[in-house]
Amino acid sequence: MNLMKRTTVACAFCFVAAAVALADGETAPARDPKQPVDTAYTERIHRYTTQPYFTSPLVDYLPASKTVPTPQTVLGDISGAPGILPYAEDVYKYMRLLEKATPRVKVFSIGKTEEGREMIAVAVSSEENIKNLEENRARLAKLADPRTIKLDDAEADKLVAQAVPIYYITGTIHSPETGAPTALMELAYRLAVDESPYIKEIRDGTLTLITPVVEVDGRDRMVDIYKWHLAHPKEFFPWLVYWGKYVAHDNNRDAMGVTLKLTENVLNTYVGWKAQVLHDLHESVPYLYDNTIGDEPYNAWIDPILADEWQIIGWNNVSAMTKFGMPGVFTHGDFDTWSPGYLMFIAALHNGISRLYETFGNGGADTEERTLQPEDYARTWYRQNPPLPKVLWSQRDNNNYEETALLTSLHFFNENKRMFLKNFYLKAKRSTMKPGAEGPAAYVLPADDPRLGLQAELLQVLLKQAVEVSRAKAAFTVTLPAKKSKESVKGKEKKEEKAEPSTPTTREFPAGSYVIRMDQPYSRIADALLDHQYWSPDDPQKTPYDDTGWTFGELFHVQVTRVTDTKVLDVPMDRVTEPRAPGGVKGDGTVFAINNSAEPALATLRYRLKNAAIEAAEEPFESGGKKFNRGSFLVRNVNRADLDRTASELGVQVSALGSAPSVKTHAVHAARVAFIHTWLSTQTEGWWRLALDRLGIPYDYMSTQTVAKIPDLNAKYDVILFPPVGFNAGVNPVVNGIPTAWGNPLPWKNTPETPNLVGKNDSTDDMRPGLGWEGVARLQEFVQKGGVLLTATDTSSLALALGFADGISTQNANKMKIIGSVLGTRLVDDASPIAYGYDEKGAAYCDNGPIFSLSSIAGQRGRRRLGPEIHARPTGRGSMDDPDFNVGRISVEAPEEPKAETWESPPVMNEQKRNGFRVIPAALRPRVIFRYADGKDLLISGLVEGGDEIAQHPAVVDAPSGKGHVVLFSINPVYRGETWGTYSIVLNTILNFDSLNAGRKDAPQ
Ligand SMILES: [Zn+2]
């Protein structure tokens, strides 16, 4: 590489930029010629940059400092050097060295990860700004909550003129996207040290806040793998099968449920600092894609001011880098901005500006030749200077792009900070004025909801989102608007419900009902979570980037009423900071009864009270004037004080009864649970682990390799959970694994080179082998001998493909498109313990099925017929109700054709009974517990296209097999901390594992 040539090119750009600056008065992006350069560091920047156009005048040198250490002090080489990937600890060490060396940097600890690693935020600004952090925070807090200045625009203008805005940058939430930490180390140095007017303006005018590593647990694992790779350069290296303790890529889908520590810590930092921007750094697309502007549809709940800000900053960013001659910088593209689940979206729905970069990376710090796909290097209207088809790409190139883009963004943001600060205020003000504008006025969660525990969980999510929650001091009445008549598209079909009221109605809510007021600064996030989503099947965007529906009230099975009547805001109410479901023992007696409303806390209680004898009532009953649902607990052998304490903690209401009700019961055991994962992917099951851990349900976590080696599974376990693998993994990948006929073993275990790999999860000498056919046989034997195997989505398809259950088939969807939506469900068999506590109508998360169909004939596929279905009478004489005849003989009436609903097995026909060795005996046929709602009631939230293919089909099926059961889910009941309402379907299966046939009408003898 010709270094001289490159330098000349870079300088030529400096000159051009300087000339532009003279023309329009902008500050040139060029170094201060009076400040000395760190020549050794700069020489390495040039050496590691693979093409002259992969850099810019902002980053092709490093200013020297006598007092402030460069990243080289900790890294041993410069940021972006080949072979260098620092652990989070090293990144922090450097940031703290900076803090010691200059008053322009201050480091804050912002919390811990699930595995106990620290997360930090680094503030970089002028000495004066760092000194005045608290005064500035007070100013920003007033802008963030315009109620504090009585929505006075003149007062806001004064604050806007004085305040220093905060631009918050977050790095490497996605662990294989490795470039950000070193880029951010160097960025912090530049912002603290560089005296060029361009950088000085940023430093003096804006506070840059940096969390260099968001997924700290995953970062350390990724560095381990990279170190292993460096030590075994000729071998294949293991893929990063675990990132954080629970999930991988989905850590960037948690900004709704806020179940992960990293989300909570970043959210608290963003909201606590009253930052204006949250800018999250990723790597995937060459070379720099600002996906913030993205594509339609935009999230319906954002302020349009924000949509304009995305455009303003994004296009300026592209423009600035275009002028530097850096190829492959673009915005727009195919990312829709619908789901608010991304980390950056914390800002979007808290009155800030969300931003995201995709840069190009090699998944490590090797310099590699990279070949692009045609769609990646094609010139398009929004990418006039596209990436090159084939390049040598280095981590330094990545760092050059990230830093250049961030610096131009920071500069542009700073130049326009009064506008952005004013917008920040305006967005907050418009949020507080929501009730009188687009509405609603509030959401109300009634005090008489039968699921107060789940209600409290939902309120906790809102509180984590910094939403204000209030509680009405007295009963109140609001007017609900008239609903428009819902004529279905086809015109004929009517909804199951009685006709919707066509005139306004009123509704009374009892005292103690929770009110989420919309006249508060963070009303938009509450509105976005509690409202319903509709993604039109006709939307021009045909490939939703993520989930299309998420309505939290529906997924939590909690009543939420959208109230547009602004009188609700006059109801006397108090702010609540710790909403708790009431719990504890009431009444006199020695038999304790707990009503079952499908609240997960019941399972927690069962496991906490290890020695108590707990039974479930198989029928509803009444006692002491109180009604108890089927499945209600009767608790004996327990000290009242212990029960009272546990029930209070868990928000479970217990009634002490004078005598046991005369109702059939069965024991509810604390089942021994095994939990299986594959080595292919652990993310989708990770959400299940997270939920079980939150609820205190113990389980043994093991891989498909391990379960295959346990000789007698029944001796150790009652229930085996096999949650979804993800990406519709089928028989070949799960059973056979990754081919072992070539290549080297891929270990996932702790070694001197990989001290962080295993963490608190699992390990293996070789990730490649799968469950194996022996493992399949073991699982089958487990079920045959009386165990319960629970599967969901792709593992349900897998279990059926492997022949674990008779009488169930899956169909391929033709036109159906259900992308992460909330669908209506119906309870089919309320006597099954799996359904205990559930209502007739429910909601569940579904992502394209699978579509189950039942049959009473073993080995027979679904209910498809050959030829046309003849429902009406055929052509002939007479009329519709005047029968046809057969000339020359007396007509006979055809026997009535037996009918079955879509979710049922078709009745066995006489012809099938002849030598019917395939006919499954009634007691062994699958039992449908829940089904999907009818087509017209299927969509609750999100996108449903071609929904008739899954409408009315089984959603949860209990298939007896040998002495045991396979319980198959088409829905995913445990997902992203958003589906609390369906958790109990899983928990009921676990607790009633040895009584699943209870209430079965054709129970085996
Ligand atoms: Zn990413």
Side-chain angles (χ1 to χ4, degrees), residues 173-174 177 243 249 252 280-284 356-358:
I173 184 173
H174 283 166
E177 305 167 11
W243 300 11
H249 194 266
N252 196 32
D280 198 27
L281 302 179
H282 291 253
E283 286 170 28
S284 64
L356 191 148
Y357 284 160
E358 296 285 359

Side-chain angles (χ1 to χ4, degrees), residues 779-790 799-800 803-808 829 832 834 854-856 858 905 920-929 956-968 989 993 995-1005:
L779 288 179
Q780 229 148 12
E781 192 191 346
F782 170 75
V783 174
Q784 293 302 310
K785 283 167 67 181
V788 173
L789 175 68
L790 188 153
L800 295 175
F804 275 57
D806 269 324
I808 309 172
D829 193 334
S832 164
I834 295 170
L854 263 51
S855 166
S856 301
S905 309
I920 305 169
L924 295 177
R925 287 178 197 159
R927 180 183 186 186
V928 178
I929 316 300
V956 180
V957 189
D958 168 15
S961 183
K963 289 184 185 150
H965 295 254
V966 185
V967 179
L968 305 107
T989 307
F993 72 93
S995 301
L996 290 184
N997 282 333
R1000 204 183 151 114
K1001 288 173 193 81
D1002 45 12
Q1005 305 309 311

